[in-house]
Amino acid sequence: MKASIRNGWCFFHVWRNLFFLCPILRKEVSTVANRIMGITVEIGGDTTKLQTALKGVNGQIKSTQQQLKDVDKLLKLDPGNTELLAQKQKLLADAVGETKEKLATLKTAAEQANTALANGDISQEQYDALQREIIETEQDLKKYCDKVSKIRKKYAKKLTGAVTEALKDLNFLDVKFEMEFGQTADYTANGTDDPEFLISTNPGEPVKPLGKVASGGELSRIMLAIKTVLADQDAIETLIFDEIDSG
């Protein structure tokens, strides 16, 4: 009896919380929908409501966001869990790709909206609302890219440290191995990072791009070191190098 009452009380609390949350959730969904209501977009020769065109990708984004929240919740309890960290990286990459797809659709609609506004097919208010939706989506995309970049740079330090030790085992005794991150001109599926390996194989020399300073034999040994460190992450059972010298 006590268990039944306790379960019933928990059930009541869940629904009470949902009752208070539903107006907030409805308001957020309604805000997005109202922004683009009445706007159409032509994609692949087919004209459809922008709301309809975005329905699929919005569903994917929502699902990814929910999964990310769940993973982040579990990571607070176990920050070093490698499975959860791998899931978070994949989900963030998914979020970047999905949000990028949404932004592309919105920008296509915005190009067509210029003509629609001039012809009086949509109001200035609708046009401005579409621009706000684009701005918000760009902000979301940047947020996901920044999170991906933060994780990538964190693990880049571990990677370069491990590769440096592997290179020393291959007779690069005074080696420095680093990663430098530039920025791409546009958003990509991997965010906006443009990574490059840098290396110095002689004492006192500054690090330079790997491809510009390493000879053929050195490059083979360097790639061997990188692949050895990454072997646990790759689905490659055998590593073959045609030109590995003994130093």
Side-chain angles (χ1 to χ4, degrees), residues 37 43 56 123 161 195 213:
M37 188 173 292
I43 301 175
S123 66
V213 297

Side-chain angles (χ1 to χ4, degrees), residues 4 106 115 140 234:
S4 177
L106 287 170
T115 303
D140 288 342
D234 290 343

Side-chain angles (χ1 to χ4, degrees), residues 3-209:
S4 177
I5 293 173
R6 184 168 59 250
N7 291 338
W9 186 248
C10 292
F11 183 77
F12 167 75
H13 274 289
V14 169
W15 279 102
R16 187 190 68 173
N17 290 338
L18 284 175
F19 176 79
F20 285 112
L21 283 173
C22 277
I24 299 172
L25 295 173
R26 282 200 301 270
K27 182 179 179 182
E28 289 181 356
V29 172
S30 178
T31 299
V32 174
N34 288 337
R35 277 181 184 165
I36 59 178
M37 188 173 292
I39 298 176
T40 60
V41 60
E42 181 179 329
I43 301 175
D46 296 325
T47 301
T48 184
K49 291 181 179 179
L50 183 54
Q51 265 181 274
T52 304
L54 292 173
K55 186 176 180 180
V57 73
N58 277 338
Q60 292 172 346
I61 290 171
K62 182 179 179 181
S63 174
T64 301
Q65 287 174 338
Q66 290 173 338
Q67 292 180 73
L68 274 169
K69 287 179 181 178
D70 190 34
V71 169
D72 282 337
K73 180 181 176 181
L74 293 172
L75 278 172
K76 287 180 180 179
L77 301 174
D78 187 5
N81 189 293
T82 55
E83 172 61 28
L84 291 174
L85 289 169
Q87 286 189 23
K88 181 170 183 176
Q89 291 179 61
K90 181 184 180 301
L91 287 168
L92 283 171
D94 290 343
V96 169
E98 292 157 1
T99 310
K100 189 171 182 285
E101 179 184 342
K102 178 180 179 178
L103 182 61
T105 301
L106 287 170
K107 287 188 173 182
T108 297
E111 291 174 4
Q112 298 170 17
N114 289 323
T115 303
L117 179 63
N119 293 338
D121 297 329
I122 62 171
S123 66
Q124 184 68 49
E125 183 180 357
Q126 286 175 303
Y127 181 85
D128 291 343
L130 175 58
Q131 297 301 319
R132 291 196 296 274
E133 184 69 15
I134 290 173
I135 290 170
E136 183 177 44
T137 304
E138 285 180 327
Q139 289 173 343
D140 288 342
L141 183 54
K142 184 179 185 302
K143 176 184 69 178
Y144 290 129
C145 287
D146 287 345
K147 288 183 178 180
V148 170
S149 180
K150 184 178 180 180
I151 292 174
R152 183 178 288 124
K153 289 174 181 177
K154 176 182 177 181
Y155 285 96
K157 292 181 180 179
K158 295 183 179 180
L159 172 64
T160 52
V163 172
T164 298
E165 293 305 311
L167 286 170
K168 288 179 180 178
D169 291 339
L170 292 172
N171 209 30
F172 285 93
L173 301 181
D174 296 298
V175 68
K176 290 182 182 177
F177 188 79
E178 300 175 5
M179 282 187 75
E180 183 177 77
F181 291 89
Q183 209 165 25
T184 58
D186 198 3
Y187 295 106
T188 72
N190 295 314
T192 55
D193 284 336
D194 185 16
E196 183 176 32
F197 286 129
L198 305 175
I199 192 168
S200 168
T201 57
N202 297 311
E205 284 189 357
V207 291
K208 297 178 183 178

